[in-house]
Amino acid sequence: MTDNESFLKVARQVITDEARALDVLADSLDDRFAEAVQLILQATGRIIISGIGKSGHIGHKIAATLASTGTPAYFVHPAEASHGDLGMVSKGDVVLAISNSGEAPELANLLAFTRRFGIPLIGLSSKPESSLMKQADVHLLIPSLGEACGYGMVPSISTTLTLAMGDALAIALMKYRDFKPEDFRAFHPGGKLGAQLSAVRDLMHSSDAVPLVSADTPMSDALIEISQKGFGVVGVTDADGKLAGIITDGDLRRHMEGLLNNTAAQVMTRNPTTIAPDSLAEEAVAIMNARKITSLFVVDPEQPGLAQGLLHIHDCLRVGLG
């Protein structure tokens, strides 16, 4: 067996072992998971996550996932807790303590603090008879299935299961709170994710920047509006000021003969595709790509027909969509 084949064999075995362990975890969940969710929902404060070593690294991620999905949470290092950071834990909070063995000595002072002041404690461990689980109000038990290294030395299966349990908690809470994409965006304004969660109203052009002419506008004037606004299109409004149609370069080509003798209404394509201002910009990109168009007029469903803005494909590309 070549080195490459050996490496791939080990990698596949690790991933297979962890995948099987996740199936075991899913089958093992019971009412204690629901109790943990209820306990967190009842909290008037924050969720305090703590753990040492690899459990601490996983705890950081769990805290970040909770906080970004509508459940205020932060990580407290157990060693720092013993040197003043216990002041970060107060009535109304819930503590989620993570320790695979359930015997991490660094957690002792934090656990004692929760017992002394009646702060609810959720224990996450693979050892039901451990010190952590004996003190915890609610037990989140992960199956004890060894580690992917085969020697029980390298946290791998145990950390994967712990992370999955944290994700399950966060998403169960998120679903219960009816946490929507627009809520998620408030915590993720930057980067690719922020762009994907941008609303159309955040990117659209509005007010005088929107190219609009009335239905009886001569095409000579409509062409000036197209040129001045620079989007390659113009919206056509009816007598009530509502969007009745749109003129694109395709419409201009179809009416090239005698174009300037027509009005905007005679050249326009009726019932153009529009999008609501609160729709995700990613949805707008999908529509433009599917219809092979470069812009969408923005119409609020609560004000049917009134064009509030225009979204161009370049606006989406500029923020990383497309």
Side-chain angles (χ1 to χ4, degrees):
M1 182 181 295
T2 66
D3 284 347
N4 285 355
E5 291 171 343
S6 178
F7 297 152
L8 289 172
K9 181 180 179 181
V10 171
R12 291 188 179 111
Q13 187 60 56
V14 169
I15 294 170
T16 298
D17 289 346
E18 294 191 355
R20 288 173 178 165
L22 287 169
D23 286 336
V24 174
L25 175 64
D27 291 339
S28 72
L29 292 179
D30 54 24
D31 288 345
R32 289 172 293 187
F33 180 84
E35 290 173 11
V37 173
Q38 292 287 358
L39 195 61
I40 293 172
L41 288 172
Q42 293 165 12
T44 57
R46 297 175 180 269
I47 312 308
I48 313 301
I49 318 293
S50 192
I52 196 73
K54 303 301 186 295
S55 293
H57 293 308
I58 297 299
H60 273 288
K61 194 276 180 186
I62 293 174
T65 301
L66 286 167
S68 69
T69 52
T71 300
Y74 57 87
F75 181 84
V76 172
H77 194 286
E80 297 296 337
S82 298
H83 294 274
D85 281 2
L86 282 174
M88 301 170 73
V89 185
S90 62
K91 288 280 190 180
D93 293 340
V94 171
V95 170
L96 170 60
I98 305 170
S99 172
N100 184 43
S101 69
E103 301 294 348
E106 294 86 354
L107 286 170
N109 288 333
L110 176 60
L111 301 185
F113 186 85
T114 66
R115 304 303 80 190
R116 178 182 177 187
F117 292 101
I119 296 170
L121 172 64
I122 300 171
L124 201 170
S125 174
S126 67
K127 301 296 188 289
E129 300 303 320
S130 63
S131 298
L132 168 59
M133 297 303 245
K134 286 179 180 178
Q135 296 185 67
D137 299 299
V138 177
H139 300 164
L140 290 178
L141 189 66
I142 61 171
S144 184
L145 300 172
E147 303 292 0
C149 65
Y151 304 110
M153 296 171 54
V154 181
S156 45
I157 290 176
S158 62
T159 50
T160 296
L161 296 179
T162 302
L163 181 59
M165 185 73 84
D167 288 341
L169 274 176
I171 294 173
L173 290 160
M174 181 184 79
K175 296 287 188 181
Y176 181 86
R177 299 183 197 279
D178 195 25
F179 197 81
K180 295 183 171 63
E182 53 267 32
D183 302 314
F184 197 72
R185 180 180 177 272
F187 302 115
H188 299 79
K192 179 69 173 179
L193 184 56
Q196 291 175 331
L197 295 172
S198 295
V200 168
R201 69 167 67 255
D202 298 325
L203 303 179
M204 72 181 190
H205 301 270
S206 58
S207 302
D208 292 340
V210 182
L212 290 172
V213 296
S214 60
D216 58 359
T217 299
M219 277 306 301
S220 56
D221 292 338
L223 288 172
I224 292 174
E225 180 76 357
I226 293 173
S227 177
Q228 288 181 339
K229 297 300 170 65
F231 297 110
V233 298
V234 65
V236 182
T237 58
D238 61 18
D240 297 323
K242 296 181 178 181
L243 188 68
I246 184 174
I247 298 174
T248 67
D249 58 347
D251 296 309
L252 297 179
R253 288 194 298 270
R254 284 189 290 273
H255 294 82
M256 186 64 70
E257 187 175 348
L259 177 66
L260 298 182
N261 296 323
N262 292 322
T263 63
Q266 293 172 308
V267 175
M268 71 180 186
T269 295
R270 295 184 178 277
N271 302 316
T273 301
T274 62
I275 195 164
D278 291 326
S279 297
L280 291 179
E282 191 173 39
E283 178 186 345
V285 172
I287 292 173
M288 285 188 272
N289 287 337
R291 296 181 177 272
K292 295 181 172 55
I293 58 179
T294 60
S295 57
L296 286 170
F297 276 89
V298 182
V299 175
D300 192 331
E302 295 184 3
Q303 296 178 299
L306 295 178
Q308 292 191 347
L310 178 79
L311 182 69
H312 194 275
I313 189 65
H314 288 165
D315 303 316
C316 301
L317 295 174
R318 176 170 44 82
V319 298
L321 293 174

